[in-house]
């Protein structure tokens, strides 16, 4: 029997596209994708932290699903996305239920990261260079109903506006 994975995707449409690629990679690697967080053996939260409300929503979701390590089937809780990129050390320190943190340019390695966490390997963080070019033509499972899909026109931003964190979370435009 394959391990079951439930996925929560928060934030912008770029995050949703990343989530759909991670779902495709997990499916291709033989994981069973389910919607029931309480029954899932692996819980993945793809986070956002662009504004304070998004950061709080991400924290609330992580804490909510962390309970399934005690009352559900959860063997692994993995946090990905922008909040993971920005607050990697704080997340591991403040939420000990989190088993692994995955950066915004490392999501293509999600299947191997999940396998390592389930085998209790000590890799708790995986972050590639923020300006690493993103891979194309990866498997993808659409979550938008199948009759439309979001696409990324660009990744990151080169502007470095004083009020914006995007270049630090998503890298340069590719």
């Amino acid at each position: 029997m394959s391990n079951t994975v439930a996925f929560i995707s928060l934030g912008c449409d770029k995050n949703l596209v990343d989530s759909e690629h991670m779902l495709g990679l997990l499916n291709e690697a033989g994981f069973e994708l389910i919607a029931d967080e309480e029954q899932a053996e692996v819980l993945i939260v793809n986070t956002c932290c662009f504004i304070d409300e998004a950061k709080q929503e991400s924290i609330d979701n992580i804490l909510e699903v962390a309970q399934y390590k005690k009352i559900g089937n959860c063997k692994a809780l993995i946090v990905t996305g922008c909040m993971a990129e920005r607050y990697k050390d704080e997340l591991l320190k403040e939420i000990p239920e989190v088993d692994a943190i995955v950066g915004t340019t490392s999501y293509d390695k999600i299947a191997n990261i999940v396998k390592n966490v389930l085998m209790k390997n000590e890799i708790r963080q995986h972050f590639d260079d923020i300006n690493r070019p993103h891979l194309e033509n990866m498997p993808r499972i659409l979550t938008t109903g199948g009759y439309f899909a979001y696409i990324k026109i660009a990744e990151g931003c080169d502007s470095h506006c004083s009020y914006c964190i995007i270049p630090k979370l998503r890298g340069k435009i590719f």
Side-chain angles (χ1 to χ4, degrees), residues 12 29-30 32 34 36 39 69 75 80 88 106 120 152:
C12 69
E32 180 184 352
I34 65 172
D36 188 347
Q39 295 302 313
K69 291 189 88 172
K75 297 176 185 169
T80 68
K88 54 185 158 258
S106 302
K120 303 295 183 204
K152 288 187 192 181

Side-chain angles (χ1 to χ4, degrees), residues 26-96:
L26 291 163
N27 183 62
E28 190 175 77
F31 291 96
E32 180 184 352
L33 307 175
I34 65 172
D36 188 347
E37 296 159 2
E38 189 172 356
Q39 295 302 313
E41 295 168 284
V42 179
L43 294 165
I44 301 173
V45 182
N46 193 9
T47 60
C48 177
C49 68
F50 187 66
I51 59 174
D52 287 337
E53 290 82 5
K55 178 180 168 187
Q56 190 59 52
E57 179 184 27
S58 293
I59 292 167
D60 291 347
N61 272 275
I62 294 166
L63 293 173
E64 182 180 326
V65 298
Q67 71 178 327
Y68 295 124
K69 291 189 88 172
K70 294 177 184 170
I71 64 169
N73 288 332
C74 183
K75 297 176 185 169
L77 173 56
I78 298 172
V79 178
T80 68
C82 294
M83 191 167 139
E85 187 74 44
R86 185 173 185 185
Y87 296 107
K88 54 185 158 258
D89 296 326
E90 294 89 337
L91 283 167
L92 286 174
K93 180 181 175 189
E94 299 296 326
I95 308 176

Side-chain angles (χ1 to χ4, degrees), residues 120-160:
K120 303 295 183 204
N121 289 344
E122 291 300 314
I123 301 170
R124 296 202 65 205
Q125 296 186 33
H126 193 95
F127 293 87
D128 287 313
D129 182 343
I130 195 68
N131 292 312
R132 172 183 175 239
H134 289 264
L135 301 175
E136 297 180 24
N137 301 323
M138 287 191 297
R140 182 175 176 186
I141 294 178
L142 296 180
T143 60
T144 54
Y147 51 90
F148 76 94
Y150 291 101
I151 59 170
K152 288 187 192 181
I153 298 170
E155 185 65 56
C157 182
D158 294 341
S159 294
H160 296 277

